[in-house]
């Protein structure tokens, strides 16, 4: 019901540590989809157990926005 992330420091390098991106306040995530934006930053869309749509996205490599509800 929550989202976690892990990053790779170099394309052929090792991996960092797992870090929680959490969930939107007071909900449990049911369905997730992720993909790159035009500039290569990742964006995640999630539907919660109440069928609301949320998103979280990278603002810089490894730095994530707060959760936003879309509908």
């Amino acid at each position: 019901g929550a989202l976690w992330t892990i990053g790779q420091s170099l394309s052929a390098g090792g991996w960092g540590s797992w870090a929680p991106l959490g969930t939107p306040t007071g909900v449990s995530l049911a369905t997730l989809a992720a993909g790159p934006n035009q500039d290569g930053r990742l964006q995640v869309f999630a539907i919660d157990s109440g069928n609301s749509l949320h998103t979280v996205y990278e603002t810089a490599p490894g730095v994530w926005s707060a959760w936003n509800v879309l509908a």
Side-chain angles (χ1 to χ4, degrees):
L3 183 63
W4 288 72
T5 184
I6 189 170
Q8 191 176 22
S9 56
L10 300 171
S11 61
W15 292 88
S17 298
W18 283 101
L21 292 180
T23 63
T25 303
V27 299
S28 180
L29 303 178
T31 304
L32 299 169
N37 287 324
Q38 289 179 329
D39 63 5
R41 292 176 297 138
L42 295 176
Q43 184 161 6
V44 177
F45 295 92
I47 297 174
D48 67 29
S49 55
N51 290 326
S52 292
L53 179 63
H54 304 266
T55 188
V56 65
Y57 55 89
E58 282 186 306
T59 58
V63 180
W64 290 83
S65 72
W67 280 97
N68 297 290
V69 64
L70 300 175

